[in-house]
Amino acid sequence: MTTTNPLRLAYGTNGLTDLRLTDVLALLSDLGYDGVALTLDHMHLDPLAPDLASRTAQLARCLDALALSVAVETGARYVLDPRRKHHPTLLDPDPDARAARTALLRTAVRVAADLGATAVHCFSGPRPAGTPEPVAWQRLADALTPVLDTAATARIPLAVEPEPGHLLSDLAAFHHLRATLGAPPADVLGLTLDIGHCQCLEPAPPAACVRAAAPWLRHVQIEDMRRGVHEHLPFGAGEIDFPPVLAALRDTGYQGLVSVELPRHSHAGPDLARTSLSFLRAAEAAHTDTDTDTGPPSPARTPGPGGATAPPRPSVPSAGGPRC
């Protein structure tokens, strides 16, 4: 029977905002996660805090003690503007506003380097009303150039995420950005692929998107979703068939974190962290059993709430690891 290394699963801190960061990390370690997707925000690691360096050093020690890998995410809703969600963006008409976002991303790269992170995630933002598309693309390229310089120096890939409703909304748009920037190497400009977004709007199925994106893939976000509806859902509440997606990640040799992305579910975060890990490990095992066992395959999907389907959910024992 062929054996393969399991995928490295993580959970996003933007889905655990009601917990202190030390409690988040202890929870994920106890459940058996391999890492954490850390959104830089005021409640966990504030990128604008005057003592950011010392907090980052303390966090690095904690991650090391718990043997957790980390990816750095920059999608905090109000970290730069307390009144406008995700503003300013890299496409803002005001050059000073764009510079603020660029500065935040460069800070994120430096934090990621200090933490030994796998990647730094970012997105473009929507095209402002009245801005011609060619102007928007050039504006995005210009705003990202200093960030890519910092990423190259730090040897941390910047992983841009296609986001529904944004200028850079799909895989084709990612390649347009690469061409505009002169095709930087994937270890400088990589890709964050959100599996739910693939289900939402890509023409190909999510597993095919994974295979097409593999050469540039540096970070993965995962959740359930329905076609045409940009709503992050717990596993089993949407339409995605997960075993083929996880098999595609494994078969293409993806080495980064696969991070659960449920930013509107912090009220149930600890329970969803537990059930999400069980779901993903079972989905991964289901496809492996189908590929390699001589007996009947394990069920890949079983009835879930409201008629939704989901892999069976085995219990996950507590790791009982060290504390920060």
Side-chain angles (χ1 to χ4, degrees):
M1 179 173 175
T2 303
T3 59
T4 56
N5 292 328
L7 295 170
R8 299 169 64 207
L9 302 181
Y11 202 93
T13 60
N14 62 359
L16 292 164
T17 57
D18 294 324
L19 277 67
R20 298 176 185 87
L21 183 55
T22 51
D23 292 335
V24 168
L25 301 180
L27 170 72
L28 299 184
S29 176
D30 280 352
L31 290 174
Y33 277 95
D34 303 291
V36 58
L38 173 67
T39 296
L40 299 184
D41 208 348
H42 67 90
M43 78 292 292
H44 287 148
L45 187 66
D46 187 347
L48 305 182
D51 58 346
L52 177 61
S54 63
R55 292 188 185 189
T56 301
Q58 181 180 7
L59 175 57
R61 292 190 293 270
C62 186
L63 291 167
D64 184 64
L66 296 172
L68 290 172
S69 297
V70 61
V72 172
E73 299 197 353
T74 61
R77 293 183 178 94
Y78 297 100
V79 68
L80 291 178
D81 187 328
R83 292 174 175 81
R84 295 186 303 163
K85 179 182 175 182
H86 291 151
H87 278 270
T89 74
L90 295 166
L91 303 175
D92 198 292
D94 181 354
D96 291 337
R98 293 197 302 274
R101 177 62 62 173
T102 295
L104 175 67
L105 295 181
R106 296 183 73 192
T107 295
V109 171
R110 289 188 285 267
V111 167
D114 289 343
L115 295 176
T118 59
V120 172
H121 144 281
C122 72
F123 45 60
S124 69
R127 176 160 61 102
T131 301
E133 189 167 334
V135 171
W137 280 113
Q138 191 57 54
R139 190 178 287 170
L140 177 61
D142 292 344
L144 281 178
T145 295
V147 186
L148 295 174
D149 291 342
T150 303
T153 300
R155 307 182 83 171
I156 297 288
L158 184 71
V160 180
E161 178 190 5
E163 182 80 20
H166 285 207
L167 175 70
L168 200 158
S169 62
D170 55 19
L171 289 173
F174 169 72
H175 290 296
H176 183 82
L177 175 64
R178 287 187 67 249
T180 303
L181 286 163
D187 285 339
V188 177
L189 178 64
L191 175 70
T192 293
L193 189 67
D194 187 302
I195 302 304
H197 295 174
C198 296
Q199 176 70 19
C200 179
L201 54 73
E202 293 284 355
C209 291
V210 168
R211 296 182 188 276
W216 301 277
L217 198 54
R218 295 298 179 270
H219 185 46
V220 172
Q221 298 170 342
I222 193 164
E223 69 286 315
D224 219 338
M225 203 169 286
R226 301 186 183 97
R227 184 70 179 170
V229 182
H230 184 202
E231 181 182 2
H232 292 232
L233 299 172
F235 297 110
E239 301 169 342
I240 299 175
D241 185 19
F242 285 94
V245 174
L246 301 181
L249 288 167
R250 184 192 64 220
D251 295 346
T252 55
Y254 175 67
Q255 298 294 310
L257 293 175
V258 180
S259 303
V260 179
E261 178 83 355
L262 292 172
R264 297 185 179 181
H265 290 79
S266 283
H267 64 283
D271 187 57
L272 282 170
R274 176 181 57 81
T275 58
S276 295
L277 183 65
S278 300
F279 182 104
L280 291 171
R281 288 296 184 214
E284 189 178 7
H287 199 282
T288 301
D289 290 345
T290 300
D291 283 347
T292 60
D293 283 359
T294 56
S298 300
R301 296 175 71 84
T302 56
T309 55
R313 296 175 174 177
S315 61
V316 179
S318 170
R323 290 293 172 267
C324 302

